[in-house]
Amino acid sequence: QSALTQPASVSGSPGQSITISCTGTSSDVGAYNYVSWYQQHPGKAPKLMIYEVSNRPSGVSNRFSGSKSGNTASLTISGLQAEDEADYYCYSYRTGRPASFVFGTGTRVTAL
Amino acid sequence: EVQLVESGGGLVQPGGSLRLSCAASGFTLGIYWMTWVRQAPGKGLEWVANIKQDESEKYYGDSVRGRFTVSRDNAQNSLYLQMNSLRDEDTAIYYCARDTGSYYTDYWGQGTLVTVSS
């Protein structure tokens, strides 16, 4: 099962906006609005940041937003802060027999 | 408060077996799908398996299908992962997570480390 494609790293200055892409296929990212995003700090468990492409769970800053176009989903962090430095992973349902799930390759975000 | 606590990890030789457990509290396990995810040292997240509330549906990643079996005991608020024929590449932190039923997970445990080595 091939992973979804993300850039290995993205960086920005504090206060800037950055965008992380997540590219899949018409069998996963492009099939349904079942893309979610997770933040993982070193040594910690992943934390849900966005679900169903663009919805934010309660308690997640509105600086985080999600979108999708075709087979590519995106996570945007506005007003980048030092605490946003972490690894980010997209996650998608994948159609097929059997159905499955797949993570992205992961993106390290750095605040310069 | 929702809590998931994994246990059962450790050092095992290639070809061996291990059974992981995930104790759930703060919610009714029986109304949720559950998920196992792993992360090899220094690597990304990999989906391992999902299980429906009544165990009628189970799905596995290609790399573990036929070797791993997911199960649950809702009365005991527990999720399990039986891992057989372990390989070096199964070395990872294994996380259990609650699936909302809408194809995403909202709560995760802290993970348990499995090391496969001779």
Side-chain angles (χ1 to χ4, degrees):
Chain A
Q1 288 162 330
S2 55
L4 307 174
T5 302
Q6 298 179 231
S9 62
V10 173
S11 60
S13 300
Q16 284 188 329
S17 293
I18 62 167
T19 297
I20 303 167
S21 61
C22 169
T23 301
T25 69
S26 57
S27 295
D28 39 62
V29 174
Y32 304 100
N33 287 333
Y34 293 141
V35 178
S36 50
W37 289 89
Y38 300 84
Q39 175 193 66
Q40 187 181 34
H41 286 107
K44 301 295 186 182
K47 174 188 175 184
L48 176 67
M49 304 301 285
I50 295 287
Y51 65 94
E52 293 173 345
V53 173
S54 59
N55 294 304
R56 241 183 350 265
S58 174
V60 171
S61 170
N62 59 9
R63 297 185 297 102
F64 291 85
S65 61
S67 63
K68 191 185 83 168
S69 177
N71 297 334
T72 298
S74 298
L75 174 71
T76 297
I77 307 175
S78 304
L80 188 66
Q81 299 180 1
E83 67 203 47
D84 301 332
E85 285 201 337
D87 294 326
Y88 291 83
Y89 296 90
C90 57
Y91 179 66
S92 174
Y93 173 73
R94 174 175 280 171
T95 61
R97 286 187 179 271
S100 62
F101 292 81
V102 60
F103 280 98
T105 50
T107 298
R108 173 68 55 88
V109 168
T110 303
L112 299 172
Chain B
E1 178 192 8
V2 172
Q3 282 199 322
L4 295 166
V5 180
E6 302 91 340
S7 61
L11 176 63
V12 60
Q13 291 189 335
S17 297
L18 211 56
R19 188 196 197 203
L20 305 184
S21 299
C22 171
S25 61
F27 68 101
T28 303
L29 181 68
I31 64 173
Y32 288 93
W33 281 77
M34 295 295 291
T35 297
W36 284 99
V37 174
R38 70 183 181 183
Q39 186 170 35
K43 302 298 184 181
L45 301 173
E46 179 186 9
W47 171 74
V48 172
N50 275 24
I51 182 169
K52 195 176 179 179
Q53 293 90 329
D54 61 358
E55 297 192 272
S56 61
E57 295 181 43
K58 302 178 183 181
Y59 300 99
Y60 298 93
D62 287 347
S63 60
V64 307
R65 188 177 299 116
R67 300 186 299 123
F68 290 12
T69 301
V70 60
S71 63
R72 60 195 296 163
D73 184 338
N74 293 332
Q76 296 295 319
N77 293 312
S78 293
L79 174 72
Y80 304 103
L81 186 67
Q82 177 67 43
M83 305 185 296
N84 298 331
S85 303
L86 283 162
R87 307 166 180 167
D88 290 351
E89 56 265 35
D90 295 319
T91 294
I93 296 173
Y94 285 74
Y95 297 100
C96 67
R98 188 178 81 169
D99 188 304
T100 64
S102 295
Y103 306 102
Y104 66 94
T105 57
D106 58 354
Y107 287 94
W108 295 58
Q110 286 305 303
T112 186
L113 177 62
V114 172
T115 303
V116 184
S117 175
S118 54

